[in-house]
């Protein structure tokens, strides 16, 4: 291990014995009490020395025996330490591509703030290179989502859409003006290649399979049709539900941006659940949807450029959080923001008992299991998870003091 204090966190002294790492409350921590020698030793934790050499440096600075190991262990436990050579074989392979890694260093720094184990951030960034994502829809939102995911290091981003690029599709970071008149999906794939820090891995050519059957880690549904954004068609996602492929909805409808839900098949609410829930609340809903889908196509949709970019950014962030092993809030809700107030709010989405996706039935089985013989074990697991959530909540509420 080559310990390194996470460089993404700015450091400052609150007083003679207390050092603060980080400025933003969500990730800031304080460390104390810290004596002068230990404060000077922190500068040596830059990833260029292994533990053996750090112990020698500590002896030269007259630090007590074992102090270096206790300091390193304490910093690691507080989530302040990284490993300059950690992350496993995939991370080692990424380090050999210095040109690629230089492009991704801001992403690596961000990951270091959302991971706790030394070397974990580099491991997750390297793992992105092996993920595959398909984006269905190459308008102002979809094309930009695809470019953002590619630029963030996702190994393969495939884009599917029909028709040809029209002037209304053009957006900075997405489809360029010179692509007008070209096939929409081909133009979007070129945008993806321009955004990616390295070429996507080559795959054997062959006929395309149904969405969700090609081993994609995630499918992003970003339709250009505003009706499909507002009320996703459950039939369009049926192949994804059947194949167990996670999928995320995103788009803009009538100056309202929508991100979510992130559907984990059989576990969270899906497009069918959303339709059924809306019908429960409003019996006229199916009648309205039928009229919207059969209505005359509008010459231009209300898809403000800045709002489309905002939606694409949040959708890409949710997608990356999921690909990196997390469970973003979009897994149980649809996030919405409307002009001109631009206040994000979440609309919860629960599995519907009448939906064929089976998520509600699974939830009932798990609830029954909680009350069975495995109650004590699962209660312990829930306690452990609750403890971790409490720690995260405490860190997000403000600075957290660690004693080393």
């Amino acid at each position: 291990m080559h310990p390194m204090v996470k460089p993404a966190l700015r450091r400052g002294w609150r007083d003679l014995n207390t050092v603060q790492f980080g400025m933003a409350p969500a990730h800031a921590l304080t460390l104390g009490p810290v004596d002068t020698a230990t404060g000077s030793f922190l500068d040596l934790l830059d990833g260029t020395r292994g533990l053996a050499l750090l112990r020698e440096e500590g002896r030269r600075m007259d630090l007590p025996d074992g102090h270096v190991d206790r300091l390193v262990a304490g910093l690691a436990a507080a989530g302040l330490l990284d490993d300059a050579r950690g992350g496993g074989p995939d991370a080692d392979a990424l380090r050999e591509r210095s040109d690629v890694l230089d492009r991704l260093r801001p992403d690596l720094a961000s990951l270091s703030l959302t991971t706790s184990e030394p070397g974990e951030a580099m491991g997750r960034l390297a793992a992105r290179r092996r993920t595959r994502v398909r984006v269905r829809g190459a308008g102002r939102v979809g094309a930009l989502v695809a470019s953002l995911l590619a630029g963030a290091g996702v190994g393969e981003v495939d884009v599917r859409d029909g028709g040809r690029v029209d002037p209304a599709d053009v957006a900075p970071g997405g489809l360029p003006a010179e692509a007008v008149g070209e096939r929409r999906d081909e133009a979007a794939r070129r945008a993806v290649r321009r955004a990616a820090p390295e070429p996507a891995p080559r795959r054997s050519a062959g006929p395309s399979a149904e969405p969700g059957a090609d081993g994609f880690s995630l499918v992003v549904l970003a339709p250009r049709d505003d009706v499909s954004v507002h009320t996703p068609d459950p039939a369009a996602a049926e192949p994804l539900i059947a194949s167990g492929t996670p999928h995320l909805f995103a788009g803009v409808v009538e100056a309202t941006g929508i991100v979510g839900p992130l559907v984990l098949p059989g576990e969270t609410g899906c497009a069918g659940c959303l339709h059924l829930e809306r019908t429960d609340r409003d019996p006229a809903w199916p009648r309205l949807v039928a009229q919207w889908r059969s209505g005359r196509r509008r010459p231009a949709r209300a898809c403000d450029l800045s709002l489309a970019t905002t939606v694409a950014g949040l959708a890409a962030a949710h997608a990356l959080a999921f690909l990196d092993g997390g469970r973003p809030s979009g897994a149980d809700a649809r996030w919405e923001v409307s002009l001109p107030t631009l206040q994000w709010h979440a609309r919860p989405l629960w599995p519907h008992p009448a939906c064929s996706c089976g998520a509600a039935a699974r939830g009932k089985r798990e609830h029954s299991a909680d009350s069975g013989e495995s109650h004590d074990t699962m209660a312990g697991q829930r306690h452990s998870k609750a403890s971790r959530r409490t720690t995260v909540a405490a860190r997000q509420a403000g600075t957290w003091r660690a004693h080393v």
Side-chain angles (χ1 to χ4, degrees), residues 134-157:
R134 169 169 287 168
V135 178
R136 289 170 56 181
R140 281 188 163 188
V141 174
L144 184 51
V145 169
S147 295
L148 289 170
L149 293 177
V154 173
E156 180 181 347
V157 181

Side-chain angles (χ1 to χ4, degrees), residues 38 275 371:
T38 300
H275 179 75
S371 303

